[in-house]
PDB file of all heavy atoms in Angstrom:
ATOM      1  N   MET A   1     -51.167   3.939 -60.199  1.00 74.00           N
ATOM      2  CA  MET A   1     -50.977   2.531 -60.520  1.00 74.00           C
ATOM      3  C   MET A   1     -52.340   1.888 -60.757  1.00 74.00           C
ATOM      4  O   MET A   1     -53.243   2.019 -59.954  1.00 74.00           O
ATOM      5  CB  MET A   1     -50.269   1.837 -59.365  1.00 74.00           C
ATOM      6  CG  MET A   1     -50.108   0.365 -59.563  1.00 74.00           C
ATOM      7  SD  MET A   1     -49.419  -0.390 -58.075  1.00 74.00           S
ATOM      8  CE  MET A   1     -50.342  -1.883 -58.066  1.00 74.00           C
ATOM      9  N   THR A   2     -52.492   1.215 -61.850  1.00 87.00           N
ATOM     10  CA  THR A   2     -53.723   0.508 -62.166  1.00 87.00           C
ATOM     11  C   THR A   2     -53.602  -0.941 -61.714  1.00 87.00           C
ATOM     12  O   THR A   2     -52.592  -1.586 -61.971  1.00 87.00           O
ATOM     13  CB  THR A   2     -53.993   0.557 -63.682  1.00 87.00           C
ATOM     14  OG1 THR A   2     -54.091   1.920 -64.077  1.00 87.00           O
ATOM     15  CG2 THR A   2     -55.262  -0.167 -64.035  1.00 87.00           C
ATOM     16  N   LEU A   3     -54.641  -1.430 -61.023  1.00 83.00           N
ATOM     17  CA  LEU A   3     -54.640  -2.813 -60.563  1.00 83.00           C
ATOM     18  C   LEU A   3     -54.851  -3.766 -61.738  1.00 83.00           C
ATOM     19  O   LEU A   3     -55.611  -3.472 -62.658  1.00 83.00           O
ATOM     20  CB  LEU A   3     -55.761  -3.041 -59.555  1.00 83.00           C
ATOM     21  CG  LEU A   3     -55.691  -2.284 -58.235  1.00 83.00           C
ATOM     22  CD1 LEU A   3     -56.930  -2.574 -57.400  1.00 83.00           C
ATOM     23  CD2 LEU A   3     -54.443  -2.659 -57.459  1.00 83.00           C
ATOM     24  N   THR A   4     -54.224  -4.915 -61.693  1.00 83.00           N
ATOM     25  CA  THR A   4     -54.516  -5.978 -62.647  1.00 83.00           C
ATOM     26  C   THR A   4     -55.854  -6.610 -62.251  1.00 83.00           C
ATOM     27  O   THR A   4     -56.348  -6.379 -61.141  1.00 83.00           O
ATOM     28  CB  THR A   4     -53.424  -7.060 -62.631  1.00 83.00           C
ATOM     29  OG1 THR A   4     -53.445  -7.702 -61.350  1.00 83.00           O
ATOM     30  CG2 THR A   4     -52.055  -6.478 -62.921  1.00 83.00           C
ATOM     31  N   ASP A   5     -56.422  -7.433 -63.127  1.00 79.00           N
ATOM     32  CA  ASP A   5     -57.661  -8.144 -62.775  1.00 79.00           C
ATOM     33  C   ASP A   5     -57.468  -8.965 -61.507  1.00 79.00           C
ATOM     34  O   ASP A   5     -58.321  -8.945 -60.618  1.00 79.00           O
ATOM     35  CB  ASP A   5     -58.107  -9.071 -63.910  1.00 79.00           C
ATOM     36  CG  ASP A   5     -58.824  -8.340 -65.032  1.00 79.00           C
ATOM     37  OD1 ASP A   5     -59.262  -7.193 -64.825  1.00 79.00           O
ATOM     38  OD2 ASP A   5     -58.936  -8.923 -66.117  1.00 79.00           O
ATOM     39  N   ALA A   6     -56.356  -9.675 -61.388  1.00 80.00           N
ATOM     40  CA  ALA A   6     -56.104 -10.520 -60.216  1.00 80.00           C
ATOM     41  C   ALA A   6     -56.015  -9.681 -58.939  1.00 80.00           C
ATOM     42  O   ALA A   6     -56.545 -10.066 -57.895  1.00 80.00           O
ATOM     43  CB  ALA A   6     -54.824 -11.330 -60.408  1.00 80.00           C
ATOM     44  N   GLU A   7     -55.357  -8.536 -59.013  1.00 80.00           N
ATOM     45  CA  GLU A   7     -55.262  -7.658 -57.837  1.00 80.00           C
ATOM     46  C   GLU A   7     -56.630  -7.096 -57.463  1.00 80.00           C
ATOM     47  O   GLU A   7     -56.986  -7.031 -56.284  1.00 80.00           O
ATOM     48  CB  GLU A   7     -54.284  -6.515 -58.114  1.00 80.00           C
ATOM     49  CG  GLU A   7     -52.848  -6.962 -58.230  1.00 80.00           C
ATOM     50  CD  GLU A   7     -51.938  -5.891 -58.794  1.00 80.00           C
ATOM     51  OE1 GLU A   7     -52.396  -5.033 -59.587  1.00 80.00           O
ATOM     52  OE2 GLU A   7     -50.749  -5.916 -58.435  1.00 80.00           O
ATOM     53  N   PHE A   8     -57.412  -6.687 -58.472  1.00 79.00           N
ATOM     54  CA  PHE A   8     -58.758  -6.163 -58.227  1.00 79.00           C
ATOM     55  C   PHE A   8     -59.621  -7.222 -57.545  1.00 79.00           C
ATOM     56  O   PHE A   8     -60.315  -6.944 -56.576  1.00 79.00           O
ATOM     57  CB  PHE A   8     -59.385  -5.717 -59.550  1.00 79.00           C
ATOM     58  CG  PHE A   8     -60.746  -5.115 -59.420  1.00 79.00           C
ATOM     59  CD1 PHE A   8     -60.924  -3.894 -58.788  1.00 79.00           C
ATOM     60  CD2 PHE A   8     -61.856  -5.758 -59.939  1.00 79.00           C
ATOM     61  CE1 PHE A   8     -62.186  -3.326 -58.673  1.00 79.00           C
ATOM     62  CE2 PHE A   8     -63.114  -5.202 -59.840  1.00 79.00           C
ATOM     63  CZ  PHE A   8     -63.279  -3.983 -59.202  1.00 79.00           C
ATOM     64  N   ILE A   9     -59.547  -8.459 -58.036  1.00 77.00           N
ATOM     65  CA  ILE A   9     -60.314  -9.563 -57.449  1.00 77.00           C
ATOM     66  C   ILE A   9     -59.840  -9.843 -56.036  1.00 77.00           C
ATOM     67  O   ILE A   9     -60.652 -10.094 -55.137  1.00 77.00           O
ATOM     68  CB  ILE A   9     -60.227 -10.814 -58.343  1.00 77.00           C
ATOM     69  CG1 ILE A   9     -60.987 -10.551 -59.650  1.00 77.00           C
ATOM     70  CG2 ILE A   9     -60.773 -12.043 -57.626  1.00 77.00           C
ATOM     71  CD1 ILE A   9     -60.722 -11.567 -60.734  1.00 77.00           C
ATOM     72  N   SER A  10     -58.538  -9.771 -55.781  1.00 75.00           N
ATOM     73  CA  SER A  10     -58.031 -10.025 -54.424  1.00 75.00           C
ATOM     74  C   SER A  10     -58.510  -8.960 -53.441  1.00 75.00           C
ATOM     75  O   SER A  10     -58.601  -9.213 -52.247  1.00 75.00           O
ATOM     76  CB  SER A  10     -56.502 -10.120 -54.411  1.00 75.00           C
ATOM     77  OG  SER A  10     -55.907  -8.847 -54.551  1.00 75.00           O
ATOM     78  N   HIS A  11     -58.857  -7.770 -53.937  1.00 71.00           N
ATOM     79  CA  HIS A  11     -59.439  -6.710 -53.100  1.00 71.00           C
ATOM     80  C   HIS A  11     -60.959  -6.864 -53.025  1.00 71.00           C
ATOM     81  O   HIS A  11     -61.629  -5.992 -52.488  1.00 71.00           O
ATOM     82  CB  HIS A  11     -59.109  -5.335 -53.665  1.00 71.00           C
ATOM     83  CG  HIS A  11     -57.668  -4.962 -53.558  1.00 71.00           C
ATOM     84  ND1 HIS A  11     -57.230  -3.702 -53.863  1.00 71.00           N
ATOM     85  CD2 HIS A  11     -56.555  -5.645 -53.193  1.00 71.00           C
ATOM     86  CE1 HIS A  11     -55.916  -3.628 -53.689  1.00 71.00           C
ATOM     87  NE2 HIS A  11     -55.490  -4.807 -53.293  1.00 71.00           N
ATOM     88  N   VAL A  12     -61.479  -7.939 -53.579  1.00 72.00           N
ATOM     89  CA  VAL A  12     -62.909  -8.267 -53.617  1.00 72.00           C
ATOM     90  C   VAL A  12     -63.719  -7.164 -54.309  1.00 72.00           C
ATOM     91  O   VAL A  12     -64.888  -6.960 -54.023  1.00 72.00           O
ATOM     92  CB  VAL A  12     -63.466  -8.561 -52.201  1.00 72.00           C
ATOM     93  CG1 VAL A  12     -64.798  -9.282 -52.269  1.00 72.00           C
ATOM     94  CG2 VAL A  12     -62.497  -9.369 -51.365  1.00 72.00           C
ATOM     95  N   GLY A  13     -63.076  -6.425 -55.200  1.00 75.00           N
ATOM     96  CA  GLY A  13     -63.769  -5.374 -55.932  1.00 75.00           C
ATOM     97  C   GLY A  13     -64.188  -4.194 -55.084  1.00 75.00           C
ATOM     98  O   GLY A  13     -65.021  -3.396 -55.505  1.00 75.00           O
ATOM     99  N   LEU A  14     -63.620  -4.062 -53.895  1.00 83.00           N
ATOM    100  CA  LEU A  14     -64.033  -2.993 -52.988  1.00 83.00           C
ATOM    101  C   LEU A  14     -63.212  -1.722 -53.117  1.00 83.00           C
ATOM    102  O   LEU A  14     -63.524  -0.723 -52.472  1.00 83.00           O
ATOM    103  CB  LEU A  14     -63.974  -3.490 -51.533  1.00 83.00           C
ATOM    104  CG  LEU A  14     -64.931  -4.638 -51.203  1.00 83.00           C
ATOM    105  CD1 LEU A  14     -64.712  -5.097 -49.767  1.00 83.00           C
ATOM    106  CD2 LEU A  14     -66.370  -4.221 -51.422  1.00 83.00           C
ATOM    107  N   SER A  15     -62.166  -1.755 -53.954  1.00 91.00           N
ATOM    108  CA  SER A  15     -61.376  -0.543 -54.152  1.00 91.00           C
ATOM    109  C   SER A  15     -61.304  -0.230 -55.645  1.00 91.00           C
ATOM    110  O   SER A  15     -61.454  -1.099 -56.492  1.00 91.00           O
ATOM    111  CB  SER A  15     -59.969  -0.699 -53.565  1.00 91.00           C
ATOM    112  OG  SER A  15     -59.251  -1.691 -54.249  1.00 91.00           O
ATOM    113  N   CYS A  16     -61.050   1.016 -55.943  1.00 93.00           N
ATOM    114  CA  CYS A  16     -60.963   1.478 -57.327  1.00 93.00           C
ATOM    115  C   CYS A  16     -59.760   0.822 -58.014  1.00 93.00           C
ATOM    116  O   CYS A  16     -58.652   0.837 -57.468  1.00 93.00           O
ATOM    117  CB  CYS A  16     -60.810   2.995 -57.329  1.00 93.00           C
ATOM    118  SG  CYS A  16     -60.494   3.703 -58.963  1.00 93.00           S
ATOM    119  N   PRO A  17     -59.947   0.275 -59.215  1.00 93.00           N
ATOM    120  CA  PRO A  17     -58.816  -0.332 -59.918  1.00 93.00           C
ATOM    121  C   PRO A  17     -57.809   0.709 -60.422  1.00 93.00           C
ATOM    122  O   PRO A  17     -56.687   0.354 -60.770  1.00 93.00           O
ATOM    123  CB  PRO A  17     -59.468  -1.075 -61.086  1.00 93.00           C
ATOM    124  CG  PRO A  17     -60.783  -0.431 -61.276  1.00 93.00           C
ATOM    125  CD  PRO A  17     -61.205   0.093 -59.939  1.00 93.00           C
ATOM    126  N   ALA A  18     -58.165   1.994 -60.420  1.00 94.00           N
ATOM    127  CA  ALA A  18     -57.246   3.042 -60.878  1.00 94.00           C
ATOM    128  C   ALA A  18     -56.438   3.648 -59.730  1.00 94.00           C
ATOM    129  O   ALA A  18     -55.225   3.798 -59.846  1.00 94.00           O
ATOM    130  CB  ALA A  18     -58.017   4.142 -61.599  1.00 94.00           C
ATOM    131  N   CYS A  19     -57.118   3.990 -58.610  1.00 94.00           N
ATOM    132  CA  CYS A  19     -56.417   4.690 -57.531  1.00 94.00           C
ATOM    133  C   CYS A  19     -56.411   3.931 -56.203  1.00 94.00           C
ATOM    134  O   CYS A  19     -55.793   4.384 -55.247  1.00 94.00           O
ATOM    135  CB  CYS A  19     -57.017   6.082 -57.317  1.00 94.00           C
ATOM    136  SG  CYS A  19     -58.659   6.084 -56.539  1.00 94.00           S
ATOM    137  N   GLU A  20     -57.106   2.808 -56.142  1.00 91.00           N
ATOM    138  CA  GLU A  20     -57.185   1.929 -54.970  1.00 91.00           C
ATOM    139  C   GLU A  20     -57.923   2.534 -53.769  1.00 91.00           C
ATOM    140  O   GLU A  20     -57.855   2.009 -52.672  1.00 91.00           O
ATOM    141  CB  GLU A  20     -55.799   1.435 -54.547  1.00 91.00           C
ATOM    142  CG  GLU A  20     -55.132   0.596 -55.612  1.00 91.00           C
ATOM    143  CD  GLU A  20     -53.830  -0.036 -55.151  1.00 91.00           C
ATOM    144  OE1 GLU A  20     -53.837  -0.661 -54.080  1.00 91.00           O
ATOM    145  OE2 GLU A  20     -52.824   0.105 -55.868  1.00 91.00           O
ATOM    146  N   LYS A  21     -58.638   3.630 -53.962  1.00 94.00           N
ATOM    147  CA  LYS A  21     -59.452   4.205 -52.873  1.00 94.00           C
ATOM    148  C   LYS A  21     -60.759   3.426 -52.788  1.00 94.00           C
ATOM    149  O   LYS A  21     -61.151   2.716 -53.708  1.00 94.00           O
ATOM    150  CB  LYS A  21     -59.713   5.685 -53.139  1.00 94.00           C
ATOM    151  CG  LYS A  21     -58.443   6.485 -53.280  1.00 94.00           C
ATOM    152  CD  LYS A  21     -58.327   7.504 -52.221  1.00 94.00           C
ATOM    153  CE  LYS A  21     -56.926   8.066 -52.263  1.00 94.00           C
ATOM    154  NZ  LYS A  21     -56.742   9.413 -52.183  1.00 94.00           N
ATOM    155  N   TYR A  22     -61.437   3.590 -51.670  1.00 92.00           N
ATOM    156  CA  TYR A  22     -62.672   2.842 -51.409  1.00 92.00           C
ATOM    157  C   TYR A  22     -63.922   3.701 -51.592  1.00 92.00           C
ATOM    158  O   TYR A  22     -64.959   3.419 -51.022  1.00 92.00           O
ATOM    159  CB  TYR A  22     -62.620   2.258 -49.996  1.00 92.00           C
ATOM    160  CG  TYR A  22     -61.545   1.211 -49.839  1.00 92.00           C
ATOM    161  CD1 TYR A  22     -60.261   1.559 -49.446  1.00 92.00           C
ATOM    162  CD2 TYR A  22     -61.818  -0.117 -50.122  1.00 92.00           C
ATOM    163  CE1 TYR A  22     -59.267   0.601 -49.320  1.00 92.00           C
ATOM    164  CE2 TYR A  22     -60.824  -1.091 -50.003  1.00 92.00           C
ATOM    165  CZ  TYR A  22     -59.561  -0.717 -49.595  1.00 92.00           C
ATOM    166  OH  TYR A  22     -58.585  -1.668 -49.484  1.00 92.00           O
ATOM    167  N   GLU A  23     -63.838   4.739 -52.379  1.00 95.00           N
ATOM    168  CA  GLU A  23     -64.941   5.675 -52.574  1.00 95.00           C
ATOM    169  C   GLU A  23     -65.686   5.344 -53.865  1.00 95.00           C
ATOM    170  O   GLU A  23     -65.600   6.052 -54.862  1.00 95.00           O
ATOM    171  CB  GLU A  23     -64.395   7.102 -52.581  1.00 95.00           C
ATOM    172  CG  GLU A  23     -63.696   7.438 -51.271  1.00 95.00           C
ATOM    173  CD  GLU A  23     -62.961   8.765 -51.315  1.00 95.00           C
ATOM    174  OE1 GLU A  23     -63.443   9.702 -51.976  1.00 95.00           O
ATOM    175  OE2 GLU A  23     -61.892   8.837 -50.684  1.00 95.00           O
ATOM    176  N   LEU A  24     -66.432   4.236 -53.838  1.00 95.00           N
ATOM    177  CA  LEU A  24     -67.084   3.714 -55.037  1.00 95.00           C
ATOM    178  C   LEU A  24     -68.587   3.946 -54.997  1.00 95.00           C
ATOM    179  O   LEU A  24     -69.212   3.895 -53.942  1.00 95.00           O
ATOM    180  CB  LEU A  24     -66.818   2.213 -55.164  1.00 95.00           C
ATOM    181  CG  LEU A  24     -65.358   1.764 -55.067  1.00 95.00           C
ATOM    182  CD1 LEU A  24     -65.281   0.263 -55.243  1.00 95.00           C
ATOM    183  CD2 LEU A  24     -64.501   2.492 -56.070  1.00 95.00           C
ATOM    184  N   GLU A  25     -69.158   4.157 -56.168  1.00 96.00           N
ATOM    185  CA  GLU A  25     -70.605   4.264 -56.328  1.00 96.00           C
ATOM    186  C   GLU A  25     -71.026   3.488 -57.566  1.00 96.00           C
ATOM    187  O   GLU A  25     -70.346   3.543 -58.592  1.00 96.00           O
ATOM    188  CB  GLU A  25     -71.036   5.722 -56.502  1.00 96.00           C
ATOM    189  CG  GLU A  25     -70.908   6.557 -55.266  1.00 96.00           C
ATOM    190  CD  GLU A  25     -71.467   7.969 -55.455  1.00 96.00           C
ATOM    191  OE1 GLU A  25     -72.040   8.257 -56.531  1.00 96.00           O
ATOM    192  OE2 GLU A  25     -71.320   8.761 -54.526  1.00 96.00           O
ATOM    193  N   ALA A  26     -72.153   2.786 -57.454  1.00 96.00           N
ATOM    194  CA  ALA A  26     -72.733   2.129 -58.629  1.00 96.00           C
ATOM    195  C   ALA A  26     -73.368   3.202 -59.501  1.00 96.00           C
ATOM    196  O   ALA A  26     -74.037   4.108 -58.999  1.00 96.00           O
ATOM    197  CB  ALA A  26     -73.766   1.108 -58.202  1.00 96.00           C
ATOM    198  N   THR A  27     -73.152   3.125 -60.811  1.00 97.00           N
ATOM    199  CA  THR A  27     -73.751   4.090 -61.733  1.00 97.00           C
ATOM    200  C   THR A  27     -74.959   3.516 -62.452  1.00 97.00           C
ATOM    201  O   THR A  27     -75.644   4.234 -63.173  1.00 97.00           O
ATOM    202  CB  THR A  27     -72.715   4.574 -62.768  1.00 97.00           C
ATOM    203  OG1 THR A  27     -72.242   3.446 -63.513  1.00 97.00           O
ATOM    204  CG2 THR A  27     -71.555   5.286 -62.092  1.00 97.00           C
ATOM    205  N   GLU A  28     -75.203   2.218 -62.274  1.00 96.00           N
ATOM    206  CA  GLU A  28     -76.374   1.570 -62.868  1.00 96.00           C
ATOM    207  C   GLU A  28     -76.681   0.322 -62.058  1.00 96.00           C
ATOM    208  O   GLU A  28     -75.847  -0.162 -61.293  1.00 96.00           O
ATOM    209  CB  GLU A  28     -76.135   1.209 -64.333  1.00 96.00           C
ATOM    210  CG  GLU A  28     -74.980   0.251 -64.552  1.00 96.00           C
ATOM    211  CD  GLU A  28     -74.679  -0.017 -66.025  1.00 96.00           C
ATOM    212  OE1 GLU A  28     -75.020   0.811 -66.879  1.00 96.00           O
ATOM    213  OE2 GLU A  28     -74.090  -1.073 -66.297  1.00 96.00           O
ATOM    214  N   SER A  29     -77.877  -0.197 -62.222  1.00 97.00           N
ATOM    215  CA  SER A  29     -78.232  -1.431 -61.534  1.00 97.00           C
ATOM    216  C   SER A  29     -77.548  -2.615 -62.223  1.00 97.00           C
ATOM    217  O   SER A  29     -77.058  -2.499 -63.344  1.00 97.00           O
ATOM    218  CB  SER A  29     -79.747  -1.618 -61.509  1.00 97.00           C
ATOM    219  OG  SER A  29     -80.243  -1.671 -62.824  1.00 97.00           O
ATOM    220  N   VAL A  30     -77.529  -3.745 -61.548  1.00 96.00           N
ATOM    221  CA  VAL A  30     -76.900  -4.947 -62.104  1.00 96.00           C
ATOM    222  C   VAL A  30     -77.699  -5.418 -63.313  1.00 96.00           C
ATOM    223  O   VAL A  30     -78.925  -5.536 -63.261  1.00 96.00           O
ATOM    224  CB  VAL A  30     -76.818  -6.062 -61.033  1.00 96.00           C
ATOM    225  CG1 VAL A  30     -76.262  -7.342 -61.636  1.00 96.00           C
ATOM    226  CG2 VAL A  30     -75.960  -5.614 -59.860  1.00 96.00           C
ATOM    227  N   GLN A  31     -76.994  -5.675 -64.407  1.00 96.00           N
ATOM    228  CA  GLN A  31     -77.578  -6.215 -65.635  1.00 96.00           C
ATOM    229  C   GLN A  31     -77.177  -7.684 -65.723  1.00 96.00           C
ATOM    230  O   GLN A  31     -76.042  -8.036 -65.381  1.00 96.00           O
ATOM    231  CB  GLN A  31     -77.048  -5.454 -66.850  1.00 96.00           C
ATOM    232  CG  GLN A  31     -77.213  -3.959 -66.767  1.00 96.00           C
ATOM    233  CD  GLN A  31     -78.656  -3.533 -66.841  1.00 96.00           C
ATOM    234  OE1 GLN A  31     -79.403  -3.975 -67.708  1.00 96.00           O
ATOM    235  NE2 GLN A  31     -79.054  -2.676 -65.924  1.00 96.00           N
ATOM    236  N   VAL A  32     -78.083  -8.543 -66.198  1.00 95.00           N
ATOM    237  CA  VAL A  32     -77.819  -9.982 -66.252  1.00 95.00           C
ATOM    238  C   VAL A  32     -78.186 -10.521 -67.627  1.00 95.00           C
ATOM    239  O   VAL A  32     -79.223 -10.168 -68.183  1.00 95.00           O
ATOM    240  CB  VAL A  32     -78.632 -10.735 -65.172  1.00 95.00           C
ATOM    241  CG1 VAL A  32     -78.364 -12.221 -65.235  1.00 95.00           C
ATOM    242  CG2 VAL A  32     -78.331 -10.180 -63.793  1.00 95.00           C
ATOM    243  N   ASP A  33     -77.328 -11.410 -68.158  1.00 93.00           N
ATOM    244  CA  ASP A  33     -77.614 -12.072 -69.426  1.00 93.00           C
ATOM    245  C   ASP A  33     -76.791 -13.351 -69.511  1.00 93.00           C
ATOM    246  O   ASP A  33     -75.558 -13.303 -69.399  1.00 93.00           O
ATOM    247  CB  ASP A  33     -77.271 -11.142 -70.592  1.00 93.00           C
ATOM    248  CG  ASP A  33     -77.708 -11.693 -71.936  1.00 93.00           C
ATOM    249  OD1 ASP A  33     -78.700 -12.448 -71.986  1.00 93.00           O
ATOM    250  OD2 ASP A  33     -77.061 -11.360 -72.941  1.00 93.00           O
ATOM    251  N   ASP A  34     -77.426 -14.482 -69.697  1.00 88.00           N
ATOM    252  CA  ASP A  34     -76.771 -15.776 -69.922  1.00 88.00           C
ATOM    253  C   ASP A  34     -75.707 -16.134 -68.889  1.00 88.00           C
ATOM    254  O   ASP A  34     -74.587 -16.517 -69.222  1.00 88.00           O
ATOM    255  CB  ASP A  34     -76.147 -15.831 -71.319  1.00 88.00           C
ATOM    256  CG  ASP A  34     -77.186 -15.812 -72.430  1.00 88.00           C
ATOM    257  OD1 ASP A  34     -78.290 -16.354 -72.205  1.00 88.00           O
ATOM    258  OD2 ASP A  34     -76.895 -15.266 -73.503  1.00 88.00           O
ATOM    259  N   GLY A  35     -76.033 -16.001 -67.609  1.00 83.00           N
ATOM    260  CA  GLY A  35     -75.113 -16.415 -66.557  1.00 83.00           C
ATOM    261  C   GLY A  35     -73.995 -15.435 -66.257  1.00 83.00           C
ATOM    262  O   GLY A  35     -73.100 -15.734 -65.482  1.00 83.00           O
ATOM    263  N   ILE A  36     -74.025 -14.270 -66.886  1.00 91.00           N
ATOM    264  CA  ILE A  36     -73.034 -13.226 -66.637  1.00 91.00           C
ATOM    265  C   ILE A  36     -73.791 -11.983 -66.173  1.00 91.00           C
ATOM    266  O   ILE A  36     -74.868 -11.673 -66.668  1.00 91.00           O
ATOM    267  CB  ILE A  36     -72.231 -12.891 -67.913  1.00 91.00           C
ATOM    268  CG1 ILE A  36     -71.468 -14.120 -68.390  1.00 91.00           C
ATOM    269  CG2 ILE A  36     -71.277 -11.735 -67.672  1.00 91.00           C
ATOM    270  CD1 ILE A  36     -70.812 -13.942 -69.741  1.00 91.00           C
ATOM    271  N   ALA A  37     -73.220 -11.268 -65.216  1.00 96.00           N
ATOM    272  CA  ALA A  37     -73.820 -10.024 -64.747  1.00 96.00           C
ATOM    273  C   ALA A  37     -72.751  -8.946 -64.721  1.00 96.00           C
ATOM    274  O   ALA A  37     -71.564  -9.232 -64.590  1.00 96.00           O
ATOM    275  CB  ALA A  37     -74.417 -10.221 -63.360  1.00 96.00           C
ATOM    276  N   TRP A  38     -73.179  -7.683 -64.862  1.00 97.00           N
ATOM    277  CA  TRP A  38     -72.252  -6.570 -64.819  1.00 97.00           C
ATOM    278  C   TRP A  38     -72.954  -5.356 -64.243  1.00 97.00           C
ATOM    279  O   TRP A  38     -74.177  -5.259 -64.243  1.00 97.00           O
ATOM    280  CB  TRP A  38     -71.685  -6.259 -66.201  1.00 97.00           C
ATOM    281  CG  TRP A  38     -72.725  -5.870 -67.202  1.00 97.00           C
ATOM    282  CD1 TRP A  38     -73.132  -4.608 -67.529  1.00 97.00           C
ATOM    283  CD2 TRP A  38     -73.511  -6.755 -68.000  1.00 97.00           C
ATOM    284  NE1 TRP A  38     -74.120  -4.640 -68.474  1.00 97.00           N
ATOM    285  CE2 TRP A  38     -74.374  -5.967 -68.780  1.00 97.00           C
ATOM    286  CE3 TRP A  38     -73.584  -8.133 -68.139  1.00 97.00           C
ATOM    287  CZ2 TRP A  38     -75.287  -6.510 -69.685  1.00 97.00           C
ATOM    288  CZ3 TRP A  38     -74.499  -8.672 -69.034  1.00 97.00           C
ATOM    289  CH2 TRP A  38     -75.319  -7.860 -69.795  1.00 97.00           C
ATOM    290  N   GLN A  39     -72.153  -4.437 -63.719  1.00 96.00           N
ATOM    291  CA  GLN A  39     -72.689  -3.220 -63.123  1.00 96.00           C
ATOM    292  C   GLN A  39     -71.690  -2.090 -63.339  1.00 96.00           C
ATOM    293  O   GLN A  39     -70.494  -2.243 -63.078  1.00 96.00           O
ATOM    294  CB  GLN A  39     -72.926  -3.421 -61.631  1.00 96.00           C
ATOM    295  CG  GLN A  39     -73.507  -2.212 -60.934  1.00 96.00           C
ATOM    296  CD  GLN A  39     -73.839  -2.501 -59.487  1.00 96.00           C
ATOM    297  OE1 GLN A  39     -73.164  -3.264 -58.824  1.00 96.00           O
ATOM    298  NE2 GLN A  39     -74.904  -1.897 -59.004  1.00 96.00           N
ATOM    299  N   GLY A  40     -72.178  -0.958 -63.823  1.00 96.00           N
ATOM    300  CA  GLY A  40     -71.325   0.212 -63.991  1.00 96.00           C
ATOM    301  C   GLY A  40     -70.935   0.773 -62.634  1.00 96.00           C
ATOM    302  O   GLY A  40     -71.763   0.857 -61.724  1.00 96.00           O
ATOM    303  N   MET A  41     -69.673   1.156 -62.505  1.00 96.00           N
ATOM    304  CA  MET A  41     -69.139   1.685 -61.249  1.00 96.00           C
ATOM    305  C   MET A  41     -68.360   2.966 -61.519  1.00 96.00           C
ATOM    306  O   MET A  41     -67.873   3.193 -62.626  1.00 96.00           O
ATOM    307  CB  MET A  41     -68.200   0.658 -60.594  1.00 96.00           C
ATOM    308  CG  MET A  41     -68.853  -0.658 -60.246  1.00 96.00           C
ATOM    309  SD  MET A  41     -70.146  -0.512 -59.006  1.00 96.00           S
ATOM    310  CE  MET A  41     -69.187  -0.018 -57.579  1.00 96.00           C
ATOM    311  N   GLU A  42     -68.228   3.792 -60.467  1.00 97.00           N
ATOM    312  CA  GLU A  42     -67.444   5.018 -60.547  1.00 97.00           C
ATOM    313  C   GLU A  42     -66.726   5.246 -59.226  1.00 97.00           C
ATOM    314  O   GLU A  42     -67.265   4.964 -58.163  1.00 97.00           O
ATOM    315  CB  GLU A  42     -68.342   6.213 -60.835  1.00 97.00           C
ATOM    316  CG  GLU A  42     -67.605   7.526 -60.885  1.00 97.00           C
ATOM    317  CD  GLU A  42     -68.502   8.706 -61.204  1.00 97.00           C
ATOM    318  OE1 GLU A  42     -69.733   8.563 -61.142  1.00 97.00           O
ATOM    319  OE2 GLU A  42     -67.964   9.769 -61.504  1.00 97.00           O
ATOM    320  N   CYS A  43     -65.514   5.749 -59.304  1.00 97.00           N
ATOM    321  CA  CYS A  43     -64.754   6.145 -58.116  1.00 97.00           C
ATOM    322  C   CYS A  43     -64.952   7.644 -57.936  1.00 97.00           C
ATOM    323  O   CYS A  43     -64.630   8.425 -58.838  1.00 97.00           O
ATOM    324  CB  CYS A  43     -63.276   5.822 -58.278  1.00 97.00           C
ATOM    325  SG  CYS A  43     -62.259   6.404 -56.906  1.00 97.00           S
ATOM    326  N   THR A  44     -65.474   8.053 -56.791  1.00 97.00           N
ATOM    327  CA  THR A  44     -65.684   9.480 -56.555  1.00 97.00           C
ATOM    328  C   THR A  44     -64.388  10.191 -56.175  1.00 97.00           C
ATOM    329  O   THR A  44     -64.347  11.416 -56.152  1.00 97.00           O
ATOM    330  CB  THR A  44     -66.755   9.712 -55.477  1.00 97.00           C
ATOM    331  OG1 THR A  44     -66.359   9.071 -54.265  1.00 97.00           O
ATOM    332  CG2 THR A  44     -68.106   9.168 -55.920  1.00 97.00           C
ATOM    333  N   ALA A  45     -63.330   9.444 -55.899  1.00 97.00           N
ATOM    334  CA  ALA A  45     -62.043  10.058 -55.568  1.00 97.00           C
ATOM    335  C   ALA A  45     -61.289  10.493 -56.828  1.00 97.00           C
ATOM    336  O   ALA A  45     -60.722  11.578 -56.872  1.00 97.00           O
ATOM    337  CB  ALA A  45     -61.185   9.099 -54.756  1.00 97.00           C
TER     338      ALA A  45
END
């Protein structure tokens, strides 16, 4: 089951949006541009 954006946000981004496990790793540092930031993530599960 894939989480919706609202469900992912309600989990505070601490679980994988694909499998809901908490085995997350950042794959890149936070990038910032014009008031928006993003970071690549991966679920090791």
